[in-house]
C-alpha cells in the first residue's frame, strides 16, 4: 500500500480512537457482565410499572446528557453546591423518575457486576428499553462508555434546543453534534411520549406577537384545548401531554399531529411549516416503519456523542457522585 494511503488509514484510526467510536461495541460486556442488558431491562420494567413517566423521563435524560459533555452520565451527578449539570435552568424540568430509573438499574447491576458497567452505558440501555416497552423500535445499544468526571451547570447554556427554535437553529445545533437534519427530525419524534409544563409554550397561546396573541400555525381547536388545560397564570406544576392522542405509546402520531397543526412547541410545528423538513415529516406520518428505522439509527448516532472510552473518565460506583 502506498505511504499516503497508510497515513490516511492511520489518521482515520486515530480520529476514531479519539472520539471513542472505535471502542464502542454492543458486546462490550460479553465477558465481564454478560447479563447487563437483562438486569437493566428488569429494573426499567419495575420502574415503569410504578409510573408511566419513566418512559419520557429516561429518554429525555439521555438526550440532555449527550448534548452536554457527551454521553457520559454527567447530568446525573448531584452537587451539594447546586452547580452540577442537573442544576442548570434548562435541566430543572428533568423528571426525577428518569434519574431514579438509572440509579435503581445501576444498583441492580452493581449487585452482580461490581465496578464494571458505567452509568453512561446503563442510561443508554435504559433509554432504548423505555422506547421498546412503550411500543417503539428495538436496536442494539453500543457499549463501552465511561462516566465523565466533570459536571457543571455553566456548560449547559446554549447546548440544548429550545421550544422556540426554528429549523435553522435546530439543524445548526444538531450539526454541531455530528447529527443531520434528518436525525433531528427523527429524534424529535420522541415527543410522541411525555409532557411539558405550560410555561414552555404559553407564549404561543397568549402573547405570540404584536398582531396575533395566538400562534396562527396552531390548529384552533387544539389551541382552545391547550388554553383550557393551561389558563393564564396557571399553577407552574401543571403539565400537558406532548401528544394528546396516544400520550403513552411510542408511535408516529407525533408527525400526524404536526400535519394537523397540533405540535406543542414552536420547534415541533416548524418541522411541518418549514418546506425543507416537511417531506420527511409527511413520510414519517404516513409510514411508521420508516420512522422507527430512522429513529433507531439516530439513537445509535446520538449515543456516540463525546463518549469517554479506554482510560478516559471512570466507572462510578454511585451514579450521583464522582468516585
Amino acid at each position: 500500500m502506498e505511504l499516503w494511503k497508510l497515513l490516511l488509514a492511520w489518521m482515520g484510526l486515530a480520529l476514531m480512537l479519539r472520539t471513542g467510536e472505535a471502542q464502542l461495541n454492543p458486546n462490550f460486556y460479553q465477558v465481564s457482565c454478560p447479563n447487563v442488558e437483562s438486569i437493566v431491562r428488569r429494573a426499567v420494567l419495575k420502574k415503569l410499572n410504578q409510573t408511566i413517566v419513566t418512559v419520557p423521563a429516561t429518554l429525555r435524560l439521555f438526550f440532555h446528557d449527550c448534548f452536554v459533555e457527551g454521553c457520559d452520565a454527567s447530568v446525573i451527578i448531584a452537587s451539594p453546591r447546586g452547580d452540577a449539570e442537573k442544576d442548570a435552568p434548562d435541566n430543572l424540568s428533568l423528571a426525577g423518575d428518569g434519574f431514579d430509573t438509572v440509579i435503581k438499574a445501576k444498583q441492580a447491576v452493581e449487585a452482580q457486576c461490581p465496578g464494571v458497567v458505567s452509568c453512561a452505558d446503563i442510561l443508554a440501555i435504559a433509554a432504548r428499553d423505555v422506547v421498546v416497552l412503550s411500543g417503539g423500535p428495538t436496536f442494539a445499544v453500543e457499549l463501552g462508555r465511561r462516566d465523565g468526571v466533570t459536571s457543571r451547570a455553566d456548560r449547559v447554556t446554549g447546548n440544548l434546543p429550545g421550544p422556540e427554535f426554528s429549523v435553522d437553529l435546530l439543524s445548526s445545533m444538531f450539526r454541531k453534534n455530528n447529527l443531520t437534519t434528518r436525525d433531528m427530525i427523527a429524534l424529535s419524534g420522541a415527543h410522541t411520549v411525555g409532557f411539558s409544563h405550560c410555561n414552555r409554550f404559553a407564549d404561543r397561546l397568549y402573547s405570540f406577537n404584536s398582531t396575533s396573541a395566538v400562534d396562527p400555525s396552531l390548529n384552533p381547536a387544539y389551541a382552545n384545548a391547550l388554553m383550557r388545560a393551561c389558563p393564564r397564570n396557571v399553577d407552574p406544576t401543571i403539565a400537558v401531554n406532548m401528544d394528546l392522542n396516544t400520550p403513552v405509546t411510542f408511535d408516529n402520531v407525533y408527525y400526524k399531529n404536526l400535519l394537523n397543526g397540533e405540535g406543542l412547541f414552536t420547534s415541533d410545528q416548524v418541522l411541518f411549516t418549514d418546506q425543507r423538513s416537511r417531506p420527511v415529516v409527511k413520510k414519517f406520518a404516513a409510514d411508521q416503519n420508516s420512522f422507527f428505522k430512522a429513529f433507531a439509527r439516530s439513537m445509535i448516532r446520538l449515543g456516540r456523542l463525546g463518549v469517554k472510552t479506554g482510560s478516559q473518565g471512570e466507572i462510578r460506583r454511585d451514579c450521583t457522585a464522582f468516585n
Side-chain angles (χ1 to χ4, degrees), residues 62 65-66 69-73 120 145-146 302-307:
F62 183 57
D65 182 49
C66 291
E69 304 288 352
C71 307
D72 65 353
R145 301 169 190 79
R146 288 170 65 85
L302 174 67
R304 296 170 179 166
L305 298 187
V307 296

Side-chain angles (χ1 to χ4, degrees), residues 84-111:
E85 268 183 45
K86 66 181 296 187
D87 301 307
D90 286 342
N91 282 335
L92 293 178
S93 61
L94 290 172
D97 290 301
F99 294 91
D100 193 50
T101 299
V102 179
I103 291 168
K104 294 289 175 53
K106 171 66 170 177
Q107 290 170 351
V109 171
E110 284 293 298

Side-chain angles (χ1 to χ4, degrees), residues 23-25 28-29 118 121 142-146 308-310:
Q23 297 175 54
L24 292 183
N25 186 324
F28 187 84
Y29 298 108
S118 67
D121 276 346
E142 296 177 334
L143 302 169
R145 301 169 190 79
R146 288 170 65 85
K308 286 76 178 169
T309 60

Side-chain angles (χ1 to χ4, degrees), residues 16-200:
M16 290 174 73
L17 289 172
R18 190 166 70 249
T19 61
E21 286 187 29
Q23 297 175 54
L24 292 183
N25 186 324
N27 299 315
F28 187 84
Y29 298 108
Q30 188 170 12
V31 174
S32 58
C33 192
N35 297 322
V36 59
E37 294 197 49
S38 61
I39 298 170
V40 172
R41 176 69 65 97
R42 286 195 297 273
V44 171
L45 186 56
K46 182 177 180 180
K47 180 67 181 178
L48 181 57
N49 287 334
Q50 296 170 358
T51 172
I52 193 64
V53 176
T54 300
V55 175
T58 306
L59 198 48
R60 189 164 178 244
L61 189 65
F62 183 57
F63 292 156
H64 280 231
D65 182 49
C66 291
F67 265 50
V68 181
E69 304 288 352
C71 307
D72 65 353
S74 51
V75 74
I76 305 177
I77 290 292
S79 168
R81 297 180 301 278
D83 58 358
E85 268 183 45
K86 66 181 296 187
D87 301 307
D90 286 342
N91 282 335
L92 293 178
S93 61
L94 290 172
D97 290 301
F99 294 91
D100 193 50
T101 299
V102 179
I103 291 168
K104 294 289 175 53
K106 171 66 170 177
Q107 290 170 351
V109 171
E110 284 293 298
Q112 294 195 33
C113 309
V116 173
V117 183
S118 67
C119 299
D121 276 346
I122 289 172
L123 175 54
I125 296 169
R128 185 271 314 274
D129 286 352
V130 295
V131 170
V132 174
L133 292 170
S134 56
T138 189
F139 52 92
V141 178
E142 296 177 334
L143 302 169
R145 301 169 190 79
R146 288 170 65 85
D147 297 322
V149 293
T150 299
S151 181
R152 290 171 45 181
D154 60 7
R155 299 277 182 93
V156 176
T157 304
N159 287 311
L160 292 170
E164 75 290 347
F165 271 26
S166 65
V167 168
D168 283 329
L169 286 174
L170 288 167
S171 294
S172 176
M173 180 165 285
F174 276 69
R175 192 163 51 246
K176 184 176 69 173
N177 289 292
N178 296 318
L179 296 168
T180 66
T181 296
R182 190 178 180 87
D183 288 323
M184 178 270 290
I185 300 169
L187 291 171
S188 294
H191 285 174
T192 191
V193 291
F195 57 88
S196 172
H197 293 98
C198 297
N199 66 341
R200 300 284 286 175

